[in-house]
Amino acid sequence: MPRSVAERDRFLDRVETATAPVAHRHCAAVTDRLRRILDAFAVERIGQHHFSGLTGVAHGDMGREALDRVFARVMQAEAAAVRLQFVSGTHAIAAALFGVLRPGDTLLAAAGRPYETLEEVIGLRGQGQGSLQEFGVTYREVPLTRDGHVDEQALAEALSNLRPRLLFLQRSCGYNWRPSLSLAQLERLCALAHTRSPHTVCFVDNCYGEFVNQLEPTAVGADLMAGSLVKNPGGTIAPTGGYVAGRRDLVEQACCRLTAPGLGSAAGSGFDCNRLLLQGLFLAPQMVAEALIGAELVATTFQTLGYEVSPQPGTERSDVIQAVRLGSAQRLLAVCRAFQRRSPVGAYLEPTPAAMPGYHHQLVMAGGTFVEGSTSEFSADAPLIPPYVVYVQGGCHRSHVRLALEEALAALLRCCGD
């Protein structure tokens, strides 16, 4: 652990030098992803007239309809619905699940248990709130292997035996110490599902994964996916919202849960935020590249200090999350509070473990962001349980991540001396 400001600066200089080839690779990848966005804007003839929207039910809102078409092209899908009415990624995912599944259907999760906020949606926690299980949907999951990978043999057997209506694939690691699902894995798992159980809908929770790779899940076999606009695709400026994208009929079913049967995707005001959503999408590839470079800085810094990290530095990534196993509540709190002190908003606040709606355990959240709860801006959070893993994500610029790491190194030295 560097013990002086000069030692700390030299240490982080070495980290930046070591990660420079990875940073160069992420910067170079922006061009193709931005080209896809610019091509979509051009084909759909996006102009100033698309920035304003209608009020009320907003039937025939040309801005909303153009935004949906652009998003579908960018996400390499038949159709998409981008809505501020989705309050979070969890909400967009829930709408997709309730839209597709019917009483008597089976939902099969293939990458272990879905993210914690979905447990009450499914019915694994809580009662009387109208979960999927309360509406007669059966839930099954395929446990991960010992090393945290999808058990493809067990999945193949489950698909053949259960014939599930929907296969749930969570791309990101969530609060699990496992590799995030690569695009190659997603393609293989979707092909397996379509072969073993042709009527099964392959659904991907795409949160944290947009623009990390050249292709999106809907380009490699996923039938439907959903995510949040205050993560990658909002480019740090979307004020709220989420999206669904995929097969046209499935997108419409999800929209019928968001609005009402018969209204579906044909309703919903954009509250004059179409410009922000389009501009955020335009900025997203650059922002995601910076977040990936920041994640590499975090991984290399903490691994060099002797902590376990996932993913390892230099490895291919499928999302923007970097997990660090800190090993004690004291270290976890020190790091989160240090990151908060280097936030642009609420730097004076001290993250404290607390209950959060939708979560089972108390959480520590560091995220002094301009958009509340945004994880496209630099943030970190963790359940306060052993082995005390902090999950770091987002970041508008690698310089911000470096400044936060400077503060974290000083905080670890003060609290633990290591």
Side-chain angles (χ1 to χ4, degrees):
M1 175 68 71
R3 296 186 173 276
S4 69
V5 172
E7 288 178 354
R8 182 194 65 197
D9 288 345
R10 287 194 295 271
F11 174 81
L12 289 174
D13 285 343
R14 291 194 296 272
V15 167
E16 288 192 321
T17 299
T19 59
V22 175
H24 177 75
R25 188 173 77 239
H26 287 311
C27 288
V30 171
T31 302
D32 284 339
R33 289 154 209 176
L34 183 57
R35 180 182 291 113
R36 192 164 81 237
I37 292 172
L38 291 175
D39 287 347
F41 277 46
V43 170
E44 297 300 338
R45 302 174 62 85
I46 296 301
Q48 294 280 336
H49 56 287
H50 290 120
F51 294 166
S52 60
L54 301 178
T55 57
V57 180
H59 286 313
D61 188 318
M62 70 169 62
R64 182 193 66 229
E65 292 170 356
L67 175 62
D68 286 351
R69 293 194 302 270
V70 164
F71 218 86
R73 289 182 182 276
V74 170
M75 291 297 165
Q76 301 150 317
E78 279 186 10
V82 184
R83 297 290 183 274
L84 297 178
Q85 286 82 4
F86 287 127
V87 301
S88 65
T90 297
H91 185 193
I93 294 165
L97 297 180
F98 276 99
V100 172
L101 293 164
R102 299 289 182 269
D105 287 344
T106 296
L107 161 63
L108 176 65
R113 183 156 294 191
Y115 190 63
E116 199 165 328
T117 57
L118 291 169
E119 291 181 354
E120 292 182 65
V121 173
I122 295 167
L124 303 176
R125 287 188 291 114
Q127 294 182 356
Q129 299 179 66
S131 69
L132 288 167
Q133 289 195 14
E134 289 175 4
F135 278 97
V137 174
T138 300
Y139 172 77
R140 295 288 185 269
E141 66 183 57
V142 177
L144 296 169
T145 61
R146 281 189 174 184
D147 58 356
H149 289 88
V150 175
D151 189 333
E152 295 190 28
Q153 182 177 350
L155 173 59
E157 293 173 359
L159 287 165
S160 296
N161 295 332
L162 297 174
R163 302 288 180 177
R165 173 57 179 154
L166 187 141
L167 175 64
F168 187 98
L169 299 168
Q170 181 175 293
R171 183 176 184 177
S172 170
C173 62
Y175 282 160
N176 293 306
W177 190 266
R178 69 156 175 90
S180 297
L181 298 182
S182 69
L183 270 194
Q185 285 177 296
L186 288 170
E187 184 173 22
R188 191 167 62 248
L189 296 173
C190 290
L192 176 64
H194 290 145
T195 300
R196 291 290 184 120
S197 182
H199 85 296
T200 294
V201 171
C202 292
F203 172 83
V204 175
D205 171 358
N206 203 34
C207 289
Y208 306 103
E210 299 89 353
F211 304 116
V212 173
N213 304 117
Q214 180 59 24
L215 300 176
E216 296 297 330
T218 37
V220 297
D223 299 301
L224 184 65
M225 66 182 183
S228 168
L229 297 184
V230 299
K231 296 183 175 68
N232 302 11
T236 76
I237 63 172
T240 187
Y243 73 91
V244 290
R247 263 173 38 194
R248 191 174 304 278
D249 59 323
L250 300 176
V251 169
E252 192 62 28
Q253 286 179 327
C255 288
C256 285
R257 291 303 99 193
L258 173 65
T259 57
L263 293 178
S265 62
S269 172
F271 304 105
D272 285 331
C273 289
N274 290 338
R275 179 187 65 81
L276 290 177
L277 302 188
L278 288 163
Q279 187 176 1
L281 182 62
F282 167 74
L283 294 172
Q286 182 67 50
M287 299 295 98
V288 170
E290 290 297 315
L292 291 168
I293 294 167
E296 193 72 15
L297 290 174
V298 171
T300 304
T301 295
F302 282 98
Q303 186 182 73
T304 304
L305 295 174
Y307 295 96
E308 291 183 80
V309 300
S310 179
Q312 299 286 310
T315 57
E316 290 294 323
R317 294 176 179 270
S318 190
D319 64 13
V320 297
I321 294 179
Q322 180 61 51
V324 180
R325 186 174 283 170
L326 292 168
S328 78
Q330 186 181 19
R331 291 191 188 97
L332 190 153
L333 290 170
V335 168
C336 287
R337 288 167 178 170
F339 287 171
Q340 184 74 31
R341 287 193 293 274
R342 276 306 186 186
S343 295
V345 180
Y348 57 91
L349 299 173
E350 184 172 273
T352 301
M356 292 282 291
Y359 291 89
H360 181 56
H361 299 98
Q362 286 196 326
L363 296 185
V364 182
M365 289 195 160
T369 54
F370 289 96
V371 175
E372 194 275 325
S374 170
T375 50
S376 53
E377 303 176 57
F378 184 64
S379 63
D381 51 85
L384 198 66
I385 54 174
Y388 301 105
V389 178
V390 65
Y391 298 86
V392 185
Q393 61 266 321
C396 304
H397 198 280
R398 70 197 79 173
S399 298
H400 184 196
V401 178
R402 165 150 182 168
L403 291 169
L405 286 170
E406 289 177 1
E407 190 73 22
L409 292 179
L412 285 172
L413 185 62
R414 287 194 301 270
C415 86
C416 308
D418 59 1

